[in-house]
Amino acid sequence: MFESILYEGTMIVAQIHESLMHLNDNFELYFGDKDMHFIVMAVLGMILFFGRITLPGFLSETLEQIAGMNTPLAMLVAGATIAQGSLKQALLQKRVYLIAGYKLLLMPLLTIGMFFALPLDPAVFTTVVLSMAAPTAITCTLFAVQNDKNAEYASQIFAISTVFSLLTLPVVGVLLEAIEK
């Protein structure tokens, strides 16, 4: 009995593996190897989420610990990239200020304009606008590092927009309070 269950389980895993390899061969024509891994992980994640499949405790705890390391590691990479560059050089680049202004002020204002007339819950409206007013994501720097692009420039934008968000987020918050009244 146990042997037949083990055999069937092994066959199912082998069939899934074979299907993924065929899928990989077909997608390799259009996607690189890295892209394929992201697609497979996204599909598996959606299956787990929509199928309401829970992982065993030890696996779930391991993945939660890995997820908990995500932000600190990203900050470490961003900090190292910023440290390799020159903060003075970042402060002298006009384009960095333009991008920070676009992200921190223009995007929230455009979002307010687009969503103001819609019958949205105030909490949803506020969340969407504040997320648009947040500084550029650290993932911008990580993608630049990963793809051998201008990581120093990406980290400069991240640093400047983060510093300026200390001023702009309260302004957007006050604007949202005035709109809600």
Side-chain angles (χ1 to χ4, degrees), residues 34 54 71 88 95 138 176:
K34 279 184 186 175
T54 56
T71 301
K88 181 179 178 183
R95 189 156 186 213
I138 188 71
L176 284 170

Side-chain angles (χ1 to χ4, degrees), residues 48-63:
L48 291 171
F49 178 76
F50 291 117
R52 307 238 186 241
I53 300 169
T54 56
L55 297 173
F58 73 93
L59 188 56
S60 180
E61 289 174 17
T62 303
L63 291 175

Side-chain angles (χ1 to χ4, degrees), residues 4-59:
S4 63
I5 293 173
L6 184 63
Y7 177 75
E8 287 298 319
T10 305
M11 289 301 296
I12 290 172
V13 170
Q15 288 174 346
I16 291 171
H17 182 264
E18 183 179 349
S19 298
L20 288 175
M21 290 299 105
H22 286 301
L23 184 67
N24 188 26
D25 291 342
N26 291 332
F27 276 102
E28 222 171 67
L29 297 172
Y30 303 104
F31 302 106
D33 213 22
K34 279 184 186 175
D35 298 328
M36 187 58 201
H37 293 278
F38 285 120
I39 291 170
V40 169
M41 290 299 113
V43 169
L44 287 175
M46 287 190 288
I47 290 170
L48 291 171
F49 178 76
F50 291 117
R52 307 238 186 241
I53 300 169
T54 56
L55 297 173
F58 73 93
L59 188 56

Side-chain angles (χ1 to χ4, degrees), residues 97 99-109 112 129-130 132-136 160-176:
Y97 293 105
I99 292 170
Y102 171 77
K103 175 67 177 106
L104 300 173
L105 293 172
L106 184 61
M107 289 305 294
L109 292 174
I112 289 170
V129 172
L130 285 178
M132 295 306 292
T136 58
I160 297 298
S161 68
T162 300
V163 170
F164 284 143
S165 71
L166 296 172
L167 302 171
T168 59
L169 274 171
V171 170
V172 172
V174 168
L175 180 63
L176 284 170

Side-chain angles (χ1 to χ4, degrees), residues 113-129:
M114 288 186 332
F115 291 107
F116 183 71
L118 295 176
L120 292 176
D121 182 278
V124 172
F125 179 73
T126 301
T127 302
V128 170
V129 172

